[in-house]
Amino acid sequence: MTAFLDVEASLTGRRWIGPTSALDRAAEAMAQETGLPYPVCLVLARRGVAPEGAEGYLAPALRDLLPDPRSLLDMEKAASRFLTAVERRERIAIFADYDVDGGTSAALLIDWLRQMGRGATLYVPDRIDEGYGPNDEAMAALAAAHDLIICVDCGTLSHGPVAAAKGADVVILDHHLGGETLPGALAVVNPNRQDESGDLAHLCAAAVVFLMLVETGRQLREAGRKGPDLMAMLDLVALATVADVAPLIGVNRAFVRQGLRVMARRDRPGLVALADVARMDSAPAAYHLGFLMGPRINAGGRIGRADLGARLLACDNPHEAQAMAQRLDQLNGERREIEAGVQAAAMAQAEARGLDAPLVWAASDGWHPGVVGIVASRLKEAANRPAIVIGFDGDIGKGSGRSITGVDLGAAIQRLAAEGLLMKGGGHKMAAGLTVARDLLEPAMARLSELLAKQGAGTGGAADLALDGLLMPGAATPDLITQLDAVGPFGAGAAAPRHVFAQMQITFAKRVGERHLKIRFGDGTGPQLDAIAFGAFDGPIGAALEGHGGKRFHLAGRLELNVWRGRQSAQLRLEDAAPA
C-alpha cells in the first residue's frame, strides 16, 4: 500500500496510511444518499456503517441496543438470589477488584441497595499484599459474617477461594476469560465464559452488573414492585467502559453516550468531586473518563488504599467525597512520579531488546506493581505491539500486559499458565495480569511472543498512523467537528478521526511552557487554523515547526472545539507532521 501523501517517515518516524479507494467510493455514495458531510461519511464507512444505518449509528438508542440480560447464562439465578437477599435482609458482601471497573461495579450495587434501604460490606483486596481476585483467607472471613458474597470484576478463575467461602452463597459478575471449568459458585455471570456465545464479550464488568440490575428490576416489576432508576446509574457504566478500554461498539456506545449525559447533570457526589479536582472545565467526554477520572480512581488501588476509589464512587456525602477525591488526586501525583522512573527504565530495556518483535516486554527488580500496567500501555503505544512489564520481588515477578486491537492477550496468557510457564495469569483481550518465576521469565516471554505472532502481532508497521483523509482549514468548522463528534464516543475499537492538512504554510509559532507548541497555519490564500501540539518538544516536531523557515508541511491530527470566553472555534490537536 502506498503511503498517504508519500509520507513513509514523518517527523516522528511514522508511515502515514490513508483511506483506500474503496472507502472513498463508499463515503461518496453515503454522502449523496444521506446528505451528511463527506468527512463524516468517511469515518462512518471506515466503521463499516451502511448508508441506511447512518442515522441510527449517529443517535444510538439504549432501548434498541440493550441485550436481554437473560441471554447470559446464570443471569436469572444471580438476580433472583440477589433479590432474595434484599427482601430477607440478609447480610451481603461485595468483593471487588481494585481498578475502575471493579470500583464502579461495586458502586452500582451499593447505590442500588442504598435506594432500597439496604447496605453491604465492601471488600477490595490490597494489590501488593493480596494480589488480584478473591483469596482463601478473605473469602472464608467474609463467608463467616455474610449470607451472600458478590464478586465483581473478578472470581471466574477463583476455584479455591470460592470453595473456601463455606456457609455463604457466592455470585460472580465478571468479564475476564473463563477456564475449562468454573468455580463452585451459585451463579457465574460472565460473557467470556467458555460456554457463552461470545456475542457480549465486549462488555466490561460494570455493564454485566448493570444487566443484572436490569434483570432484578424485571423480577421486581413481575412481583408488583418498583426498583431504583437504572438510567441514572449509567454514568458509572460509562466510566467503567471507557477506563477498562472496552471496545466502543454496539451497546457500549449507547452506554457511554447516555452515561456522559447523566454525568453532565452532576448528580453523583463522588464524580462531581473527582471532576472538580481534575479541573474539568467542559462537558464530560470519553477523553475525560479515560485520562482524567480513571487514573485518579485507579491511584488508590495502585499505591494507596485499595478501596478508596470504590468508596468515592459510592459516596453520597459531598464533603466526604471532596476529601476522598483530593486524596486520590494526591496519590495520582505520587503515582506519576513512580511511573516516570519505571517507564524510563522499561523503555530503555525494551528498545535494547527491539520494538519490532510480536511482543515488547521489560522486567526488573523493585518495579512497583501498581504502575507496571500503565507502563505496559506506554510501551504498547510506542511500538504498536502487545506489551508486558514485570516487577520482581525476590524470585517472583508480578506483571501486567496491554494489547492492541485484534490480538487477544488474555487468551494467550491463560494458555501460558496452562502450559506451566506462569504461576498464574488471566485477563481479557486488551489487558492481562500474570505471576512468573524468575527462572521461567525468558522461556515464558519467548512462548508468549510465539503465541501472539500466530494472532498477527508484529505484522503491522510499528509506526503506521491511520488517517481519515484531507481537509482544508476553511472546512474545519465547529459545525463539522460537532458532526464528527456524533460518530463517537471515541476510544478502544473506535479511534477518533485524524485528518491531514496538506502543503500548509505556518504563519505563527510559539512555545507554550517548556514542552508544548502553538501554531497557526493556512494554504496562503484562504482561512487559517490554530493548532496545539502537546509534548511537541519531547520529540522532533517542536523544533522543526518552530524553526520552519518558511517551508511548507503536511500537518496531521484531531479536530476539536476550543472554547474561549464563550466563543467556539475549531482547533487542530497536532499529532504528527511531515515536510511537504
Side-chain angles (χ1 to χ4, degrees):
M1 181 187 292
T2 305
F4 192 57
L5 295 176
D6 295 321
V7 177
E8 293 285 351
S10 67
L11 288 179
T12 61
R14 291 185 281 190
R15 182 173 184 259
W16 287 7
I17 306 296
T20 63
S21 55
L23 208 58
D24 272 327
R25 289 193 298 272
E28 289 279 10
M30 186 184 296
Q32 291 178 7
E33 189 170 331
T34 64
L36 291 167
Y38 171 76
V40 174
C41 293
L42 195 57
V43 180
L44 288 170
R46 190 189 284 278
R47 297 273 194 276
V49 179
E52 60 273 16
E55 184 180 353
Y57 190 89
L58 293 174
L62 189 58
R63 64 178 177 276
D64 298 330
L65 295 169
L66 189 71
D68 184 346
R70 294 180 183 179
S71 65
L72 288 170
L73 298 171
D74 281 359
M75 180 60 87
E76 285 186 81
K77 191 190 301 183
S80 176
R81 181 64 187 89
F82 177 60
L83 192 52
T84 297
V86 172
E87 291 174 336
R88 293 180 179 175
R89 295 186 175 272
E90 293 181 353
R91 301 164 299 171
I92 300 172
I94 300 167
F95 192 110
D97 187 21
Y98 36 60
D99 69 357
V100 175
D101 199 13
T104 50
S105 296
L108 280 166
L109 292 173
I110 292 169
D111 186 9
W112 193 96
L113 287 166
R114 181 190 295 126
Q115 293 186 54
M116 294 292 288
R118 304 288 186 271
T121 299
L122 173 66
Y123 189 95
V124 181
D126 183 270
R127 183 188 290 263
I128 296 175
D129 294 340
E130 297 174 84
Y132 168 79
N135 58 79
D136 292 3
E137 184 178 347
M139 290 293 280
L142 288 173
H146 298 85
D147 306 295
L148 174 64
I149 303 172
I150 304 175
C151 297
V152 292
D153 197 28
C154 59
T156 300
L157 299 176
S158 304
H159 295 72
V162 170
K166 293 182 173 27
D169 287 331
V170 178
V171 167
I172 294 169
L173 305 174
D174 195 11
H175 72 132
H176 293 91
L177 290 172
E180 292 184 6
T181 61
L182 294 170
L186 177 75
V188 180
V189 185
N190 184 337
N192 286 298
R193 280 173 50 158
Q194 290 198 10
D195 52 352
E196 277 285 5
S197 67
D199 294 343
L200 299 176
H202 54 284
L203 298 181
C204 66
V208 175
V209 172
F210 182 81
L211 288 179
M212 191 202 74
L213 294 177
V214 171
E215 172 59 23
T216 305
R218 176 191 286 172
Q219 293 183 19
L220 270 172
R221 287 192 302 276
E222 289 171 353
R225 298 171 60 196
K226 187 179 178 181
D229 176 14
L230 296 183
M231 295 297 284
M233 299 183 184
L234 285 173
D235 50 355
L236 294 172
V237 183
L239 175 58
T241 299
V242 173
D244 214 55
V245 205
L248 299 182
I249 59 175
V251 71
N252 282 351
R253 287 189 70 241
F255 279 148
V256 175
R257 288 279 286 266
Q258 183 62 34
L260 288 170
R261 292 191 194 103
V262 173
M263 195 177 294
R265 302 200 304 246
R266 291 174 62 91
D267 291 335
R268 192 174 301 279
L271 291 182
V272 170
L274 201 60
D276 290 346
V277 299
R279 293 168 288 283
M280 280 173 51
D281 56 2
S282 60
Y287 166 82
H288 298 122
L289 309 191
F291 293 95
L292 296 182
M293 304 180 92
R296 286 171 169 80
I297 295 167
N298 275 332
R302 293 191 188 284
I303 63 169
R305 182 170 170 176
D307 65 354
L308 193 55
R311 286 170 51 226
L312 171 68
L313 294 170
C315 181
D316 62 350
N317 182 304
H319 297 295
E320 291 179 11
Q322 185 178 34
M324 285 189 277
Q326 288 172 347
R327 176 58 179 150
L328 284 170
D329 189 54
Q330 179 187 354
L331 288 170
N332 191 50
E334 295 173 15
R335 184 270 305 168
R336 282 200 196 98
E337 293 179 11
I338 296 169
E339 176 195 331
V342 174
Q343 182 178 329
M347 186 65 75
Q349 190 183 126
E351 287 175 345
R353 192 173 284 115
L355 299 181
D356 55 355
L359 172 71
V360 174
W361 65 276
S364 187
D365 291 299
W367 285 352
H368 197 296
V371 302
V372 292
I374 307 174
V375 174
S377 292
R378 305 287 186 259
L379 294 188
K380 177 207 74 169
E381 291 161 5
N384 193 27
R385 300 287 193 273
I388 300 284
V389 177
I390 301 166
F392 274 91
D393 182 6
D395 290 330
I396 304 299
K398 292 184 178 180
S400 192
R402 298 292 184 269
S403 193
I404 58 174
T405 301
V407 177
D408 190 338
L409 180 61
I413 290 287
Q414 207 161 296
R415 173 87 175 269
L416 226 61
E419 292 177 0
L421 287 168
L422 299 178
M423 298 172 71
K424 65 177 182 177
H428 49 80
K429 290 182 179 180
M430 299 300 290
L434 59 89
T435 303
V436 62
R438 188 183 292 273
D439 59 348
L440 289 177
L441 174 64
E442 293 283 349
M445 294 300 100
R447 175 60 173 150
L448 182 57
S449 184
E450 180 184 317
L451 291 173
L452 296 176
K454 291 178 180 178
Q455 295 189 46
T459 55
D464 286 354
L465 181 66
L467 298 162
D468 290 281
L470 293 169
L471 278 180
M472 292 297 289
T477 63
D479 283 346
L480 176 64
I481 295 170
T482 299
Q483 289 177 295
L484 284 170
D485 284 347
V487 184
F490 304 117
R498 290 186 178 92
H499 292 94
V500 178
F501 296 82
Q503 300 280 347
M504 291 294 117
Q505 190 174 43
I506 297 171
T507 59
F508 170 83
K510 179 183 179 182
R511 187 187 287 246
V512 180
E514 290 294 317
R515 303 170 52 231
H516 316 308
L517 178 70
K518 187 173 181 63
I519 65 170
R520 184 173 299 124
F521 62 88
D523 64 357
T525 60
Q528 297 191 9
L529 186 65
D530 288 337
I532 182 75
F534 292 109
F537 289 95
D538 293 343
I541 289 179
L545 298 188
E546 185 182 40
H548 57 83
K551 296 176 184 175
R552 289 179 178 259
F553 286 86
H554 305 314
L555 305 173
R558 302 182 225 186
L559 287 171
E560 60 186 13
L561 285 176
N562 184 36
V563 181
W564 175 250
R565 292 180 176 173
R567 291 185 63 249
Q568 287 187 338
S569 61
Q571 175 179 273
L572 180 69
R573 181 170 292 214
L574 186 69
E575 297 182 355
D576 204 0

